[in-house]
Amino acid sequence: GCLRQQPGKIHFILLFSRQGKLRLQKWYTTLPEKEKKKITREIVQIILARNQKTSSFVDWKDLKLVYKRYASLYFCCAIEDQDNELLTLEVVHRYVELLDRYFGNVCELDIIFNFEKAYFILDEFIMGGEVQETSKKSAVKAIEDSDMLQETVEEYMNKPAF
Amino acid sequence: NEEGCKSKEAEIKRINKELANIRSKFKGDKALDGYSKKKYVCKLLFIFLLGHDIDFGHMEAVNLLSSNRYTEKQIGYLFISVLVNSNSELIRLINNAIKNDLASRNPTFMGLALHCIANVGSREMAEAFAGEIPKILVAGDTMDSVKQSAALCLLRLYRTSPDLVPMGDWTSRVVHLLNDQHLGVVTAATSLITTLAQKNPEEFKTSVSLAVSRLSRIVTSASTDLQDYTYYFVPAPWLSVKLLRLLQCYPPPEDPAVRGRLTECLETILNKAQEPPKSKKVQHSNAKNAVLFEAISLIIHHDSEPNLLVRACNQLGQFLQHRETNLRYLALESMCTLASSEFSHEAVKTHIETVINALKTERDVSVRQRAVDLLYAMCDRSNAQQIVAEMLNYLETADYSIREEIVLKVAILAEKYAVDYTWYVDTILNLIRIAGDYVSEEVWYRVIQIVINRDDVQGYAAKTVFEALQAPACHENLVKVGGYILGEFGNLIAGDPRSSPLIQFNLLHSKFHLCSVPTRALLLSTYIKFVNLFPEIKTTIQDVLRSDSQLKNADVELQQRAVEYLRLSTIASTDILATVLEEMPPFPERESSILAKLKKKKGPGTVTDLEEIKKERSSDMNGSFDSEVSSPLTNSAPPPASSGSLLVDVFSDSASAVAPLAPGSDDNFYLPAKTGLEKRIHPMNNFQFVCKNNGVLFENQLLQIGLKSEFRQNLGRMFIFYGNKTSTQFLNFTPTVICSDDFLNYILCLNLQTKPVDPTVDGGAQVQQVVNIECVSDFMEAPILNIQFRYGGTFQNLSVKLPITLNKFFQPTEMSSQDFFQRWKQLSNPKQEVQNIFKAKHPMDAEITKAKIIGFGSALLEEVDPNPANFVGAGIIHTKTTQIGCLLRLEPNLQAQMYRLTLRTSKEAVSQRLCELLSEQF
């Protein structure tokens, strides 16, 4: 009984590559780690198996998956069955725009190597599964402000080489 | 880099090395500076997100929280948000850091702290901060961005622990945030208000007019007015949708001015849909249509403006033909709810051809599924034949994943809208032909029930099944239906030399050896019924029963039937045979168990509401089937509250059909009575009341006994309803509840109290008896209800076991996976565990299994067992003297059609009894 009726909210967001590699996961429902892995595997499989001509919506358990592919990355949100599917597609698009604006034409590698930024940007946009700030300017400004407060990434951290 | 990591092994090796390095840095003698700490914490996070376990670094992350440097704090919070640890010591430290940041008056730090609370969202967090956040939210000097975070953070805590969020003065001030100048604040506040209003509608009533005026300002604004909140030429789509959602918590506004303004808004949104798009981008049309669909949801929710409903329907009709798959999908889905409104039902129906076409041509199974749903929703008497025909058509090629659901839908529609029951019979036989494997018991039981209840269709049914059975390879379900119907009504077609008694018998018997044991058992019952219907083939049938393959059958059930039927056919006089094997009496009419099954499949809500509304409407327009066939007796019978598988109650699976003839074994709730009259073969389901509390306990030609019971902790109350089915009085009517063999022991375990009932029961009347039950200690045997009365000069005496079983005193217990396994381990003494491995007696349907476990009384624990196919439950048996914790685990093996059931309780006898009771359910 982990996925209860919580109208209006996104339950989780997953970003994964066409090869099925998870690039970002954000859970707005508290679940054990093991469960998250299981769900992720299942959903990646379902979405990758669908062909291009299909709708962007899949019934999954008592939730609905709304997904869209941008270049090599799939963005997938799980929402309540009665929630607004089209607007969820635009949540995804707006997030991509925010990433674009920050990274300048974002690509998969940006998200791999600046994962913390991808999380910060998402947090500015969505909180607890609800859209917090829909204005692109305000959301990006918040991130840029915080960047002013910190040294450049390269300065303080050699990325682990994976 | 990642691609450089050729194999998984190399990656793991690399990571382990890195982890060892970080560990040594953290453990080193030299204290790390904030910069290095941040660097390593960030690396750990990265490794964790790659999918590896991290079991250290939490302390270092917590340290970062109290850093004054933003970047260090930020990484610390991110680590905590992603890797929450229930370690209480840490939680205290984290909470402390959050508290400081909330009090810092630095909006950036406050934002980080609020995000962390929302991300973790635990009960501990709610305990610590649910009182503080409302203050931040409504304080005059709070920055807008912090207000937004505070609103959504509070929402998250409210969802986790509503009891910890105190309502108070702040609520009215939150409502007024709907008027805030900053659209970001309004958006966040609307989410919060919507969730709060769902649970406290009265308190947030004033939000309706505020939401309407806000919405009105948005939809009438020019596309540039809202600047950055305009998304691809659509003004504030997120806020619009949220406002429309908030309004769906309430009925249409009472104030005519507000109501008028809202109607204008909705009309404007509908009008805009007809305007040419302001951009060719899909983002524009998605955002615009998102608002449109939400507006339509509100129109349907209000269900009060015929004009708007019909306009909505027309709009959706356009989308049905749209080139975007997403829009077609959503239009089908939305129309489904529109079909249940009396104002728009007819308008929806005009799209039937398009929907049927979608069923045939859509390439996406999700879309086809929506089309099936919509056809089902728009079905009524006028189009039922067409819709059922199309669904049958589609069934031939439908995806396996949705076949069972389509079968159920077809069966329900065919029954509900049958004018001519020959059509109904044909439809069900078609279902079995096309998708026999997906036709569940409920469906084929139902067709038999209906045929038995309607004498105008019996001859046709017999003829049709006879013809269908001619096919060289027919589905076993057809053999079951055919066997049953010919056993009852084969005489109606026996006059035709092409379907003479012997031909009927040979036809059925030619299938016998290909069938499973339950079907063979059913066929044996058909044969003994043939002995009564067709005395001329008695010797042929006796020869078959006498053959070694029957009399020495390895299956005990089949062997027993053969022996008893052979004996019955030999010794009983024609009169006795005629009485015992008489045609089945009509079944009491109730809600279709198929409908119940569909509801279970689709989850409550969706189907229920629709059905209720449709039922009301159809009873005016069409006259419902249910009332046509229900007999007067059952009208006065107790309303069966739960209808899990009611048909199965009275009709039961064939395996137990012989029960009345067999000596009462322990697991028989029906004990053979002393007079011949009750000995007729009336199927009774063993253990049928273990997982439910209401239904018909016993029925013969004279008497129907219904039950309704409720249990709470160690107490229970059972209402027994005795219905006199005859037109003659019962005299000296004396029901007595007696306890089994060991009387003294019994009294010590189960305390039952009843009052005597009136000794005279008039013809057609019903009397009620209350039994008060107290479970003193755990018990094994069920008590027996003995009934004696005089009917037309003969003395009647019968006994039935009262279904008061140990599991009735269950209280479900929810627990986490961790708790479950800990307790499971604690009960590892071999005497505490009882295990049973058995063959499935029913189709192995996970949903039905779940319902049965819940009906059994324990909690069904989802996501506990590592294997998702398994079922796990927990509960406490309450007796007066003690409470016994029980854990259960059911492991199905689909391939072998077997189950393994394991019970662990602190008491061996309890484990044993619960295991016995539950094993019989599957």
Side-chain angles (χ1 to χ4, degrees):
Chain A
C2 59
L3 303 171
R4 294 260 157 73
Q5 293 280 93
Q6 298 195 326
K9 87 166 212 178
I10 299 172
H11 284 251
F12 52 84
I13 299 176
L14 303 175
L15 264 68
F16 49 91
S17 69
R18 288 171 72 182
Q19 289 75 38
K21 279 230 174 235
L22 188 63
R23 293 306 181 201
L24 183 143
Q25 47 172 325
K26 187 77 190 180
W27 301 83
Y28 299 109
T29 306
T30 312
L31 290 172
E33 208 49 49
K34 212 170 131 191
E35 189 61 30
K36 290 182 188 169
K37 283 189 181 167
K38 198 181 111 198
I39 291 175
T40 307
R41 268 200 308 275
E42 193 181 326
I43 285 176
V44 168
Q45 221 170 23
I46 293 174
I47 305 281
L48 290 181
R50 285 176 61 88
N51 68 41
Q52 295 230 19
K53 297 277 174 193
T54 52
S55 68
S56 312
F57 318 128
V58 185
D59 291 324
W60 179 78
K61 305 209 170 166
D62 52 351
L63 300 181
K64 194 168 269 174
L65 306 176
V66 176
Y67 69 96
K68 187 163 179 177
R69 204 183 101 187
Y70 287 86
S72 62
L73 272 188
Y74 282 90
F75 291 68
C76 174
C77 300
I79 58 170
E80 291 287 326
D81 187 44
Q82 32 341 9
D83 252 1
N84 201 306
E85 296 90 345
L86 288 176
L87 205 58
T88 309
L89 277 176
E90 295 321 300
V91 165
V92 167
H93 186 76
R94 180 39 60 101
Y95 180 47
V96 173
E97 285 183 344
L98 293 173
L99 292 171
D100 254 346
R101 176 119 168 208
Y102 183 81
F103 290 110
N105 221 345
V106 66
C107 69
E108 194 179 338
L109 283 181
D110 290 324
I111 293 174
I112 297 172
F113 291 116
N114 299 283
F115 72 96
E116 79 281 14
K117 290 288 178 235
Y119 278 93
F120 296 149
I121 293 171
L122 187 58
D123 270 355
E124 282 303 323
F125 179 35
I126 294 171
M127 184 180 197
E130 300 277 352
V131 170
Q132 173 173 228
E133 182 49 84
T134 66
S135 152
K136 196 154 48 168
K137 258 186 227 150
S138 307
V140 171
K141 188 168 174 298
I143 302 292
E144 284 166 354
D145 282 354
S146 67
D147 272 359
M148 297 293 284
L149 296 168
Q150 76 184 36
E151 317 87 324
T152 57
V153 176
E154 290 69 27
E155 264 177 30
Y156 78 86
M157 182 171 169
N158 307 313
K159 291 289 171 195
F162 298 120
Chain B
N1 76 6
E2 174 144 15
E3 272 63 43
C5 244
K6 281 279 178 267
S7 68
K8 189 88 190 154
E9 271 169 48
E11 181 185 306
I12 289 173
K13 215 169 147 189
R14 175 86 181 76
I15 282 167
N16 284 339
K17 202 172 145 200
E18 188 70 40
L19 285 176
N21 176 40
I22 299 172
R23 206 187 292 265
S24 75
K25 295 283 182 201
F26 283 164
K27 279 194 178 159
D29 308 331
K30 219 168 51 174
L32 289 177
D33 58 8
Y35 172 89
S36 312
K37 232 183 253 172
K38 180 182 68 181
K39 174 167 126 185
Y40 293 121
V41 166
C42 196
K43 281 190 178 192
L44 281 181
L45 194 52
F46 186 78
I47 291 169
F48 176 78
L49 291 168
L50 279 176
H52 303 270
D53 291 335
I54 295 294
D55 55 2
F56 69 102
H58 300 80
M59 202 48 174
E60 286 74 11
V62 172
N63 284 339
L64 289 177
L65 296 186
S66 43
S67 163
N68 274 327
R69 303 181 67 140
Y70 180 78
T71 56
E72 289 166 16
K73 207 185 260 294
Q74 195 180 27
I75 292 292
Y77 272 124
L78 183 60
F79 186 95
I80 300 298
S81 301
V82 174
L83 278 124
V84 211
N85 199 301
S86 55
N87 184 325
S88 60
E89 192 57 29
L90 275 182
I91 286 285
R92 219 163 41 83
L93 293 171
I94 295 167
N95 284 357
N96 234 345
I98 292 175
K99 218 166 260 165
N100 290 337
D101 281 336
L102 285 183
S104 71
R105 308 184 66 82
N106 173 336
T108 327
F109 287 6
M110 289 172 88
L112 283 179
L114 289 168
H115 268 106
C116 183
I117 298 171
N119 277 324
V120 176
S122 64
R123 201 167 165 81
E124 288 91 341
M125 287 276 178
E127 273 163 4
F129 301 110
E132 184 62 24
I133 297 170
K135 290 180 206 153
I136 298 175
L137 176 57
V138 297
D141 56 349
T142 305
M143 299 253 303
D144 286 336
S145 66
V146 177
K147 267 190 203 164
Q148 285 168 270
S149 300
L152 295 179
C153 182
L154 188 58
L155 170 54
R156 169 77 160 120
L157 295 184
Y158 184 77
R159 280 174 171 153
T160 319
S161 322
D163 54 312
L164 294 180
V165 177
M167 294 293 137
D169 295 345
W170 63 273
T171 55
S172 59
R173 301 177 66 177
V174 165
V175 171
H176 283 279
L177 289 178
L178 288 173
N179 274 334
D180 202 281
Q181 294 214 315
H182 190 284
L183 281 192
V185 172
V186 186
T187 309
T190 309
S191 296
L192 174 63
I193 294 166
T194 303
T195 303
L196 294 173
Q198 276 166 345
K199 291 214 177 128
N200 322 278
E202 221 13 65
E203 197 151 350
F204 291 88
K205 219 168 46 181
T206 48
S207 64
V208 172
S209 61
L210 294 177
V212 170
S213 56
R214 190 93 221 190
L215 182 67
S216 165
R217 270 179 280 159
I218 296 171
V219 297
T220 54
S221 66
S223 55
T224 49
D225 284 0
L226 304 177
Q227 292 157 0
D228 214 28
Y229 290 90
T230 297
Y231 181 82
Y232 290 87
F233 303 102
V234 182
W238 277 281
L239 180 52
S240 305
V241 164
K242 285 186 179 201
L243 291 169
L244 289 162
R245 184 46 69 102
L246 168 58
L247 292 170
Q248 287 173 61
C249 301
Y250 291 93
E254 280 161 25
D255 181 343
V258 178
R259 190 169 174 157
R261 204 162 176 198
L262 176 58
T263 306
E264 267 170 40
C265 286
L266 295 170
E267 278 169 348
T268 310
I269 294 170
L270 285 167
N271 291 341
K272 281 188 181 173
Q274 299 302 323
E275 288 170 10
K278 294 196 170 72
S279 155
K280 285 213 166 85
K281 289 230 158 91
V282 68
Q283 284 75 31
H284 171 69
S285 76
N286 277 353
K288 188 171 154 185
N289 291 327
V291 176
L292 177 61
F293 274 107
E294 205 61 54
I296 291 175
S297 292
L298 179 61
I299 292 169
I300 297 171
H301 169 79
H302 284 169
D303 196 16
S304 62
E305 302 269 355
N307 174 36
L308 287 175
L309 282 160
V310 170
R311 282 193 67 184
C313 184
N314 293 339
Q315 182 59 54
L316 295 176
Q318 287 180 19
F319 284 151
L320 284 182
Q321 319 243 25
H322 204 280
R323 64 188 162 77
E324 282 259 346
T325 312
N326 285 347
L327 286 180
R328 296 198 303 277
Y329 173 101
L330 295 172
L332 288 165
E333 184 179 65
S334 193
M335 250 194 196
C336 240
T337 40
L338 210 47
S340 62
S341 161
E342 62 172 311
F343 300 117
S344 49
H345 182 78
E346 288 303 316
V348 170
K349 273 168 62 185
T350 60
H351 299 286
I352 185 166
E353 297 303 333
T354 316
V355 182
I356 288 171
N357 196 40
L359 200 58
K360 289 176 176 160
T361 57
E362 286 290 351
R363 286 199 256 171
D364 182 352
V365 56
S366 326
V367 184
R368 291 196 297 271
Q369 170 82 60
R370 293 287 93 86
V372 171
D373 290 347
L374 178 52
L375 283 178
Y376 180 75
M378 67 160 69
C379 190
D380 62 23
R381 190 148 293 192
S382 73
N383 57 20
Q385 301 236 356
Q386 184 188 9
I387 285 177
V388 165
E390 292 296 345
M391 283 191 175
L392 277 173
N393 233 337
Y394 175 54
L395 190 55
E396 308 236 16
T397 55
D399 312 75
Y400 294 110
S401 57
I402 59 176
R403 281 194 182 189
E404 190 185 358
E405 199 185 312
I406 298 176
V407 167
L408 291 174
K409 286 184 163 159
V410 169
I412 290 166
L413 294 178
E415 176 185 334
K416 194 164 174 183
Y417 298 115
V419 186
D420 171 3
Y421 280 87
T422 61
W423 172 69
Y424 170 74
V425 169
D426 287 342
T427 303
I428 302 297
L429 291 183
N430 263 330
L431 273 183
I432 295 176
R433 185 178 56 76
I434 298 169
D437 286 343
Y438 298 88
V439 173
S440 55
E441 279 179 348
E442 285 89 344
V443 173
W444 74 262
Y445 286 162
R446 189 71 180 166
V447 67
I448 288 170
Q449 195 181 35
I450 283 173
V451 169
I452 286 172
N453 284 2
R454 304 203 56 107
D455 46 19
D456 55 338
V457 77
Q458 290 160 356
Y460 179 81
K463 182 165 162 285
T464 316
V465 293
F466 176 78
E467 278 161 12
L469 283 168
Q470 306 285 340
C474 49
H475 196 274
E476 189 162 334
N477 278 337
L478 179 65
V479 179
K480 290 180 187 165
V481 175
Y484 204 98
I485 288 181
L486 292 179
E488 296 290 329
F489 309 113
N491 57 323
L492 298 177
I493 57 168
D496 186 331
R498 285 167 300 177
S499 52
S500 71
L502 189 60
I503 294 177
Q504 285 186 41
F505 173 73
N506 285 337
L507 179 60
L508 284 176
H509 199 54
S510 71
K511 317 279 181 195
F512 187 91
H513 301 279
L514 301 170
C515 290
S516 64
V517 169
T519 309
R520 288 194 206 181
L522 185 149
L523 285 177
L524 288 177
S525 296
T526 302
Y527 298 169
I528 189 69
K529 291 216 161 199
F530 275 179
V531 169
N532 176 43
L533 285 182
F534 313 126
E536 62 268 39
I537 59 167
K538 178 172 165 179
T539 51
T540 315
I541 290 172
Q542 284 176 327
D543 286 344
V544 168
L545 292 175
R546 202 177 286 125
S547 71
D548 279 0
S549 63
Q550 306 296 352
L551 279 189
K552 294 187 180 164
N553 196 300
D555 186 274
V556 181
E557 175 70 38
L558 293 180
Q559 192 188 82
Q560 187 176 4
R561 281 189 192 219
V563 172
E564 287 177 356
Y565 289 162
L566 182 60
R567 185 105 185 100
L568 182 67
S569 72
T570 320
I571 60 163
S573 69
T574 326
D575 282 352
I576 290 179
L577 266 183
T579 314
V580 176
L581 301 169
E582 193 192 349
E583 192 178 299
M584 291 291 291
F587 289 97
E589 195 52 51
R590 300 190 181 85
E591 182 194 18
S592 158
S593 50
I594 310 176
L595 191 55
K597 177 157 183 178
L598 184 66
K599 281 180 192 168
K600 226 184 274 168
K601 232 180 131 59
K602 296 289 274 187
T606 48
V607 187
T608 323
D609 302 344
L610 225 82
E611 275 311 314
E612 290 314 308
I613 298 161
K614 290 193 76 177
K615 203 179 261 171
E616 278 166 29
R617 195 180 43 235
S618 71
S619 58
D620 317 334
M621 291 182 353
N622 311 319
S624 77
F625 165 64
D626 303 43
S627 56
E628 285 165 29
V629 292
S630 54
S631 63
L633 176 80
T634 43
N635 275 347
S636 63
S642 76
S643 52
S645 53
L646 280 165
L647 180 57
V648 190
D649 317 344
V650 282
F651 186 67
S652 94
D653 51 338
S654 47
S656 56
V658 77
L661 288 175
S665 62
D666 177 48
D667 45 26
N668 246 330
F669 273 121
Y670 174 80
L671 299 183
K674 294 181 182 75
T675 64
L677 201 56
E678 284 77 32
K679 273 195 180 174
R680 47 173 315 186
I681 301 175
H682 197 299
M684 266 295 176
N685 196 355
N686 306 336
F687 286 100
Q688 60 166 336
F689 283 93
V690 170
C691 293
K692 63 196 190 74
N693 289 328
N694 308 318
V696 175
L697 176 66
F698 170 82
E699 184 163 21
N700 66 12
Q701 289 159 312
L702 306 180
L703 178 69
Q704 186 195 49
I705 305 176
L707 286 187
K708 225 177 142 172
S709 44
E710 48 191 7
F711 294 88
R712 234 171 84 196
Q713 303 206 323
N714 72 320
L715 300 178
R717 176 177 293 174
M718 180 177 273
F719 297 89
I720 309 176
F721 301 87
Y722 305 95
N724 181 345
K725 293 174 67 175
T726 71
S727 50
T728 316
Q729 266 187 348
F730 293 164
L731 298 171
N732 302 340
F733 188 79
T734 334
T736 331
V737 178
I738 47 176
C739 297
S740 66
D741 350 0
D742 190 349
F743 187 72
L744 189 64
N745 185 28
Y746 213 82
I747 282 295
L748 289 175
C749 297
L750 199 62
N751 186 2
L752 302 175
Q753 287 174 341
T754 56
K755 288 208 180 100
V757 299
D758 194 323
T760 311
V761 185
D762 287 334
Q766 189 188 62
V767 295
Q768 175 189 329
Q769 187 177 33
V770 185
V771 185
N772 287 316
I773 308 155
E774 183 187 31
C775 176
V776 182
S777 157
D778 58 289
F779 64 98
M780 303 303 129
E781 291 282 289
I784 293 164
L785 174 67
N786 175 263
I787 299 149
Q788 302 182 350
F789 59 97
R790 295 193 72 79
Y791 164 70
T794 59
F795 176 67
Q796 306 287 328
N797 182 1
L798 60 97
S799 295
V800 189
K801 278 204 184 182
L802 266 191
I804 301 173
T805 46
L806 187 55
N807 65 297
K808 298 291 176 195
F809 304 96
F810 248 134
Q811 290 286 112
T813 320
E814 292 290 346
M815 57 176 79
S816 69
S817 175
Q818 202 186 354
D819 287 347
F820 182 88
F821 286 111
Q822 195 184 343
R823 281 168 214 209
W824 185 262
K825 243 184 241 162
Q826 285 164 358
L827 295 170
S828 55
N829 183 321
K831 285 199 165 173
Q832 294 168 330
E833 183 192 88
V834 172
Q835 199 169 68
N836 186 16
I837 299 174
F838 53 95
K839 258 215 142 9
K841 296 180 213 64
H842 303 281
M844 297 176 77
D845 179 312
E847 290 312 308
I848 294 177
T849 305
K850 284 182 189 169
K852 282 180 176 167
I853 291 174
I854 292 167
F856 191 61
S858 70
L860 177 70
L861 304 177
E862 308 256 27
E863 337 279 350
V864 164
D865 198 290
N867 178 350
N870 293 343
F871 305 91
V872 168
I876 294 169
I877 298 275
H878 286 256
T879 75
K880 193 180 177 188
T881 48
T882 176
Q883 298 188 354
I884 304 150
C886 309
L887 303 177
L888 69 90
R889 182 185 200 198
L890 180 70
E891 301 159 87
N893 179 339
L894 280 173
Q895 211 165 14
Q897 289 287 302
M898 304 274 286
Y899 285 103
R900 181 166 74 180
L901 175 65
T902 313
L903 257 296
R904 284 192 179 184
T905 77
S906 47
K907 214 164 165 182
E908 188 182 14
V910 172
S911 299
Q912 187 66 48
R913 181 60 178 155
L914 292 177
C915 189
E916 274 167 28
L917 289 169
L918 191 56
S919 294
E920 288 303 317
Q921 302 304 316
F922 305 103

